[in-house]
Amino acid sequence: MPRESTTLSDESLWLDVTPASSRRMLSAAVEAFAERGYHATTTREIANKAGMSPAAVYTHYRSKADLLFAISEAGHQAVLRDVEHALADVDTPGGRLHRMVSAMVSWNASNHTLARIVSYELSGLEHEQFEQIRTLRDRLEAIVHTELKHGAQTGHFDIADEDTTAMAIMSLAVDVARWYRPGDLAPEALGAKYAGLALRMVSLRVG
Amino acid sequence: MPRESTTLSDESLWLDVTPASSRRMLSAAVEAFAERGYHATTTREIANKAGMSPAAVYTHYRSKADLLFAISEAGHQAVLRDVEHALADVDTPGGRLHRMVSAMVSWNASNHTLARIVSYELSGLEHEQFEQIRTLRDRLEAIVHTELKHGAQTGHFDIADEDTTAMAIMSLAVDVARWYRPGDLAPEALGAKYAGLALRMVSLRVG
């Protein structure tokens, strides 16, 4: 069984990256890592997919780990951006939790190929790169905790255990990338359903 | 960053497998796949870890995919066994859901190294092997659905959407294997906390 070889649905993640050849390399790396995993992929294969020579890849990325780092960083920043945007104009704790979970779930469904690499291939990073990505993950986790705390303090949420609830919410979103396939429920619809489950976890109900 | 190279905490999964050299191969394969992923591992590396020649491996397993299949099958059957055992002597729908989620979560925490291979490396299987494993996954999913349906029909649960709730429960358990590390909350304690969240998803509360 080959892994799913869907190309990235949305390459807007590296619109800022120049030149265009670097963007081509990132997309080729995502495709290659998704097909056989990070460790089984060679820089030569990435170069081939991007229609370049291995030497051309090395002009922009020192190593395969650097490509993985660029992909992981772009992915983490994209989720953070979506979540912050989703929270920008909602006030009630319940509304904010709903928006936050919807955004996280919907991102992992829309970008499932990239999200799998971002969540499951972190072991390929060098130590310092890993620490930088961890900082981004910690920021996302901190947002989840802030929302839970705020809802509890204002008496809107009744939470059994903040750490476990935060972990469960992150887990629900991350795991979507493992099972999601094009043709499943649309990302936004899935996001709304999972947001409803998250509200139940804090003792609120919608529908 | 090397992947975690914890050896399997519990090799009782292949106690039935004979001869002892086959068990050694399975454990060596788990260790190798966990370190660098299925596709990046060679049969020679597995043989080295098991202290055997590649030829000796081929006497028992036709291919690397056959080893992955044996591991995946043992893992899936072990979760099913634990879940069925956990449900054996409980009657109330709430009690049954609690036991079921506890068992699934606790298995994925206790066997996180193996569980990661079992959940994330399925793409390495050949088509027919994949279908056999899918049958086992479907059996587990069917148990989750049965428990949800039963609780809803008897008026104990109030479920927004059975499919989403079942998927979320499976996801919570599977994703534990991704983030769990020795030293985290004990598997049984984590199982109980997650079971509490699952009860909230169906509108029941404990604690």
Side-chain angles (χ1 to χ4, degrees):
Chain A
M1 291 274 305
R3 295 196 194 190
E4 193 191 359
S5 64
T6 320
T7 47
L8 190 60
S9 56
D10 186 350
E11 294 182 6
S12 63
L13 289 183
W14 21 86
L15 273 185
D16 305 344
V17 176
T18 54
S21 53
S22 291
R23 296 198 292 276
R24 245 179 24 243
M25 278 175 232
L26 291 171
S27 296
V30 167
E31 201 183 315
F33 296 159
E35 279 170 22
R36 311 211 334 124
Y38 173 78
H39 290 287
T41 302
T42 63
T43 309
R44 177 173 295 276
E45 285 161 358
I46 297 170
N48 283 347
K49 273 186 193 288
M52 299 173 191
S53 70
V57 171
Y58 289 119
T59 346
H60 296 99
Y61 296 95
R62 196 173 40 100
S63 65
K64 194 174 67 158
D66 278 13
L67 278 160
L68 179 62
F69 176 68
I71 291 164
S72 301
E73 199 184 25
H76 279 85
Q77 278 172 343
V79 193
L80 273 167
R81 211 164 40 229
D82 278 13
V83 167
E84 279 161 3
H85 180 76
L87 288 171
D89 60 348
V90 217
D91 282 332
T92 62
R96 291 177 66 84
L97 187 66
H98 196 280
R99 285 282 193 93
M100 181 188 75
V101 175
S102 293
M104 286 164 59
V105 167
S106 159
W107 189 88
N108 277 282
S110 300
N111 302 280
H112 56 274
T113 306
L114 179 80
R116 265 175 246 162
I117 297 164
V118 162
S119 293
Y120 302 133
E121 299 284 10
L122 293 178
S123 71
L125 296 172
E126 288 164 17
H127 181 72
E128 222 165 280
Q129 296 173 327
F130 179 81
E131 290 303 320
Q132 283 188 60
I133 297 298
R134 179 140 78 177
T135 305
L136 295 174
R137 283 188 102 86
D138 287 350
R139 270 180 57 199
L140 187 61
E141 210 177 312
I143 294 174
V144 177
H145 277 277
T146 301
E147 294 305 323
L148 292 178
K149 256 193 231 315
H150 180 235
Q153 280 161 359
T154 54
H156 290 81
F157 299 167
D158 177 6
I159 297 173
D161 179 314
E162 188 188 307
D163 285 347
T164 311
T165 309
M167 185 56 98
I169 287 173
M170 306 271 293
S171 261
L172 282 182
V174 165
D175 197 58
V176 164
R178 179 183 58 85
W179 60 261
Y180 194 84
R181 296 290 176 276
D184 286 345
L185 201 61
E188 294 69 27
L190 182 70
K193 280 176 190 282
Y194 268 44
L197 290 176
L199 288 180
R200 284 166 173 249
M201 287 186 200
V202 300
S203 310
L204 276 185
R205 294 272 304 276
V206 282
Chain B
M1 292 277 303
R3 297 196 193 189
E4 193 190 357
S5 63
T6 320
T7 46
L8 191 60
S9 56
D10 187 349
E11 294 183 7
S12 62
L13 290 182
W14 22 85
L15 273 186
D16 305 344
V17 177
T18 53
S21 53
S22 291
R23 296 198 293 276
R24 245 177 28 241
M25 278 175 231
L26 291 171
S27 297
V30 167
E31 201 185 315
F33 296 159
E35 278 170 21
R36 314 209 335 123
Y38 173 78
H39 290 287
T41 301
T42 62
T43 308
R44 176 173 295 275
E45 285 161 359
I46 298 169
N48 283 345
K49 273 186 194 288
M52 298 171 191
S53 70
V57 172
Y58 289 119
T59 344
H60 296 99
Y61 296 96
R62 196 175 40 100
S63 66
K64 193 173 66 157
D66 278 12
L67 278 160
L68 179 62
F69 175 68
I71 291 164
S72 301
E73 199 184 25
H76 279 85
Q77 278 171 344
V79 192
L80 273 168
R81 210 162 42 227
D82 277 13
V83 167
E84 279 161 4
H85 179 76
L87 288 171
D89 60 348
V90 218
D91 283 331
T92 63
R96 291 177 66 85
L97 187 66
H98 197 280
R99 284 283 192 92
M100 180 189 77
V101 176
S102 293
M104 285 164 59
V105 167
S106 158
W107 190 87
N108 276 281
S110 300
N111 301 280
H112 56 275
T113 306
L114 179 82
R116 267 175 244 162
I117 297 165
V118 162
S119 293
Y120 302 133
E121 300 284 10
L122 292 179
S123 71
L125 296 173
E126 287 163 18
H127 180 72
E128 220 165 282
Q129 296 173 329
F130 179 80
E131 290 305 321
Q132 282 189 60
I133 297 296
R134 181 140 76 179
T135 306
L136 294 175
R137 284 188 102 85
D138 288 350
R139 268 179 58 200
L140 187 60
E141 211 177 312
I143 294 175
V144 177
H145 277 277
T146 301
E147 294 305 322
L148 292 178
K149 256 193 232 314
H150 180 234
Q153 280 162 356
T154 54
H156 290 81
F157 298 168
D158 177 7
I159 295 173
D161 179 314
E162 187 187 307
D163 284 348
T164 312
T165 309
M167 185 56 99
I169 286 173
M170 306 272 292
S171 262
L172 282 182
V174 166
D175 198 58
V176 164
R178 180 184 56 85
W179 60 262
Y180 194 85
R181 297 289 175 276
D184 287 345
L185 201 62
E188 293 70 27
L190 182 70
K193 280 176 190 281
Y194 269 44
L197 290 175
L199 288 181
R200 284 168 173 246
M201 287 186 198
V202 300
S203 309
L204 275 187
R205 294 272 304 278
V206 279

Coordinates of all heavy atoms in Angstrom, one line a residue, chain B residues 152-191:
Chain B
A152 N -27.5 5.5 24.1 CA -28.5 6.4 23.6 C -29.9 5.8 23.7 O -30.9 6.5 24.1 CB -28.2 6.9 22.2
Q153 N -30.0 4.5 23.2 CA -31.3 3.9 23.2 C -32.0 3.7 24.6 O -33.2 3.8 24.7 CB -31.2 2.5 22.5 CG -31.1 2.6 21.0 CD -30.6 1.4 20.3 OE1 -30.2 0.4 21.0 NE2 -30.5 1.4 19.0
T154 N -31.1 3.5 25.6 CA -31.7 3.3 26.9 C -31.8 4.7 27.6 O -32.2 4.7 28.8 CB -30.7 2.4 27.8 OG1 -29.4 3.0 27.7 CG2 -30.6 1.0 27.2
G155 N -31.6 5.8 26.9 CA -31.8 7.1 27.5 C -30.7 7.5 28.5 O -30.8 8.6 29.1
H156 N -29.6 6.8 28.6 CA -28.5 7.2 29.5 C -27.6 8.3 28.8 O -27.1 9.1 29.5 CB -27.7 6.0 29.8 CG -28.3 5.0 30.7 ND1 -29.2 4.1 30.3 CD2 -28.3 4.9 32.1 CE1 -29.7 3.4 31.3 NE2 -29.1 3.8 32.4
F157 N -27.4 8.2 27.5 CA -26.6 9.1 26.8 C -27.4 10.1 26.0 O -28.5 9.7 25.5 CB -25.6 8.4 25.9 CG -24.7 7.4 26.5 CD1 -23.9 6.6 25.7 CD2 -24.5 7.4 27.9 CE1 -23.1 5.6 26.2 CE2 -23.6 6.4 28.4 CZ -22.9 5.6 27.6
D158 N -26.9 11.3 25.9 CA -27.5 12.3 24.9 C -26.3 12.6 24.0 O -25.4 13.4 24.3 CB -28.0 13.5 25.7 CG -28.5 14.6 24.8 OD1 -28.6 14.3 23.6 OD2 -28.8 15.7 25.3
I159 N -26.4 12.1 22.8 CA -25.3 12.2 21.8 C -25.7 13.1 20.7 O -26.7 13.0 20.1 CB -24.9 10.8 21.3 CG1 -24.4 9.9 22.4 CG2 -23.9 10.8 20.2 CD1 -24.2 8.4 22.1
A160 N -24.8 14.0 20.4 CA -25.0 15.0 19.3 C -24.9 14.3 17.9 O -25.8 14.4 17.1 CB -24.1 16.2 19.3
D161 N -23.9 13.5 17.7 CA -23.6 12.9 16.5 C -22.8 11.6 16.7 O -21.6 11.7 17.1 CB -22.9 13.9 15.6 CG -22.5 13.4 14.2 OD1 -22.0 12.2 14.1 OD2 -22.7 14.1 13.2
E162 N -23.4 10.4 16.5 CA -22.7 9.2 16.8 C -21.4 9.0 16.1 O -20.4 8.6 16.7 CB -23.7 8.0 16.6 CG -23.1 6.7 17.1 CD -24.0 5.5 16.7 OE1 -25.2 5.5 16.9 OE2 -23.4 4.5 16.1
D163 N -21.4 9.2 14.8 CA -20.2 9.0 14.0 C -19.0 9.9 14.5 O -17.9 9.4 14.7 CB -20.4 9.3 12.6 CG -21.2 8.2 11.9 OD1 -21.3 7.1 12.5 OD2 -21.7 8.4 10.7
T164 N -19.3 11.2 14.7 CA -18.3 12.1 15.2 C -17.8 11.7 16.6 O -16.6 11.8 16.9 CB -18.8 13.6 15.2 OG1 -19.4 13.8 14.0 CG2 -17.6 14.5 15.4
T165 N -18.7 11.3 17.5 CA -18.4 11.0 18.8 C -17.5 9.7 18.9 O -16.5 9.7 19.6 CB -19.7 10.8 19.7 OG1 -20.5 11.9 19.5 CG2 -19.3 10.6 21.2
A166 N -17.9 8.7 18.0 CA -17.1 7.5 18.0 C -15.7 7.8 17.4 O -14.7 7.3 18.0 CB -17.8 6.5 17.0
M167 N -15.6 8.6 16.4 CA -14.3 9.0 15.8 C -13.5 9.7 16.8 O -12.3 9.5 17.0 CB -14.6 9.9 14.6 CG -13.3 10.2 13.8 SD -12.4 8.7 13.3 CE -13.0 8.6 11.6
A168 N -14.1 10.6 17.6 CA -13.3 11.4 18.6 C -12.8 10.5 19.7 O -11.6 10.7 20.1 CB -14.2 12.5 19.2
I169 N -13.6 9.5 20.1 CA -13.1 8.6 21.1 C -11.9 7.8 20.6 O -10.9 7.6 21.3 CB -14.3 7.7 21.6 CG1 -15.2 8.6 22.5 CG2 -13.8 6.5 22.4 CD1 -16.5 7.9 22.9
M170 N -12.0 7.3 19.4 CA -10.9 6.5 18.8 C -9.7 7.4 18.7 O -8.6 7.0 19.0 CB -11.3 6.0 17.5 CG -12.5 5.2 17.3 SD -12.3 3.4 17.6 CE -11.4 2.9 16.2
S171 N -9.9 8.6 18.3 CA -8.8 9.6 18.1 C -8.0 9.9 19.4 O -6.8 9.9 19.4 CB -9.3 10.9 17.5 OG -9.1 11.0 16.1
L172 N -8.8 10.1 20.4 CA -8.2 10.4 21.7 C -7.3 9.3 22.1 O -6.2 9.5 22.6 CB -9.3 10.6 22.8 CG -10.0 12.0 22.8 CD1 -11.0 12.0 23.9 CD2 -9.0 13.1 22.9
A173 N -7.7 8.1 21.9 CA -6.9 6.9 22.4 C -5.7 6.8 21.5 O -4.6 6.6 22.0 CB -7.8 5.7 22.3
V174 N -5.9 6.8 20.2 CA -4.8 6.6 19.2 C -3.7 7.7 19.5 O -2.5 7.4 19.5 CB -5.3 6.7 17.8 CG1 -4.1 6.8 16.8 CG2 -6.1 5.4 17.4
D175 N -4.1 8.9 19.6 CA -3.1 10.0 19.7 C -2.3 10.0 20.9 O -1.2 10.5 21.0 CB -3.8 11.4 19.5 CG -2.8 12.5 19.2 OD1 -2.2 12.3 18.1 OD2 -2.7 13.4 20.0
V176 N -2.7 9.2 22.0 CA -1.9 9.1 23.2 C -0.6 8.5 22.8 O 0.5 8.9 23.4 CB -2.7 8.2 24.2 CG1 -1.7 7.7 25.3 CG2 -3.8 8.9 24.8
A177 N -0.5 7.6 21.9 CA 0.7 6.9 21.5 C 1.7 7.9 20.9 O 2.9 7.8 21.1 CB 0.5 5.8 20.5
R178 N 1.2 9.0 20.3 CA 2.1 10.0 19.7 C 2.8 10.8 20.8 O 4.0 11.0 20.7 CB 1.3 11.0 18.8 CG 2.2 12.1 18.2 CD 1.3 13.1 17.4 NE 0.3 13.7 18.2 CZ 0.4 14.8 19.0 NH1 1.6 15.4 19.0 NH2 -0.6 15.2 19.7
W179 N 2.1 11.2 21.8 CA 2.7 12.2 22.8 C 3.2 11.5 24.1 O 3.9 12.1 24.8 CB 1.8 13.3 23.1 CG 0.5 13.0 23.7 CD1 -0.7 12.9 23.0 CD2 0.2 12.7 25.0 NE1 -1.7 12.5 23.9 CE2 -1.2 12.4 25.1 CE3 0.9 12.7 26.2 CZ2 -1.9 12.1 26.3 CZ3 0.3 12.4 27.4 CH2 -1.1 12.1 27.5
Y180 N 2.7 10.3 24.4 CA 3.0 9.7 25.7 C 4.5 9.3 25.8 O 5.1 8.8 24.9 CB 2.2 8.4 25.9 CG 2.2 8.0 27.3 CD1 1.3 8.5 28.2 CD2 3.1 7.0 27.7 CE1 1.3 8.1 29.6 CE2 3.1 6.6 29.1 CZ 2.2 7.2 30.0 OH 2.3 6.7 31.3
R181 N 5.0 9.7 27.0 CA 6.4 9.3 27.3 C 6.5 8.7 28.7 O 5.7 9.1 29.6 CB 7.3 10.6 27.3 CG 7.5 11.3 26.0 CD 8.3 10.5 25.0 NE 8.3 11.2 23.7 CZ 7.4 11.1 22.8 NH1 6.3 10.4 22.9 NH2 7.5 11.8 21.6
P182 N 7.4 7.8 28.9 CA 7.5 7.2 30.3 C 7.7 8.4 31.3 O 8.5 9.3 31.0 CB 8.7 6.3 30.2 CG 8.9 6.0 28.7 CD 8.4 7.2 28.0
G183 N 7.1 8.4 32.4 CA 7.2 9.5 33.3 C 5.9 10.3 33.3 O 5.7 11.1 34.2
D184 N 5.2 10.3 32.2 CA 3.9 11.0 32.2 C 2.9 10.3 33.2 O 3.3 9.2 33.7 CB 3.3 10.9 30.8 CG 4.0 11.9 29.8 OD1 4.7 12.8 30.3 OD2 3.8 11.8 28.6
L185 N 1.8 10.8 33.3 CA 0.7 10.2 34.2 C 0.6 8.7 33.9 O 0.7 8.3 32.7 CB -0.6 10.9 33.8 CG -1.7 10.8 34.8 CD1 -1.4 11.5 36.1 CD2 -3.0 11.5 34.2
A186 N 0.5 7.9 34.9 CA 0.4 6.4 34.7 C -0.7 6.1 33.8 O -1.8 6.8 33.8 CB 0.2 5.7 36.1
P187 N -0.6 5.1 32.9 CA -1.6 4.7 31.9 C -3.0 4.6 32.5 O -3.9 5.1 31.9 CB -1.0 3.4 31.4 CG 0.4 3.5 31.5 CD 0.7 4.2 32.8
E188 N -3.1 3.9 33.6 CA -4.5 3.7 34.1 C -5.1 5.0 34.6 O -6.3 5.3 34.4 CB -4.5 2.8 35.3 CG -4.1 1.3 35.0 CD -2.6 1.2 34.6 OE1 -1.8 2.0 35.1 OE2 -2.2 0.3 33.8
A189 N -4.3 5.9 35.2 CA -4.8 7.2 35.7 C -5.2 8.1 34.5 O -6.3 8.7 34.5 CB -3.7 7.9 36.5
L190 N -4.4 8.0 33.4 CA -4.7 8.8 32.2 C -6.0 8.2 31.6 O -6.9 9.0 31.2 CB -3.6 8.7 31.2 CG -3.8 9.4 29.9 CD1 -3.7 10.9 30.1 CD2 -2.7 9.0 28.8
G191 N -6.1 6.9 31.5 CA -7.3 6.2 31.0 C -8.5 6.7 31.7 O -9.6 7.0 31.1

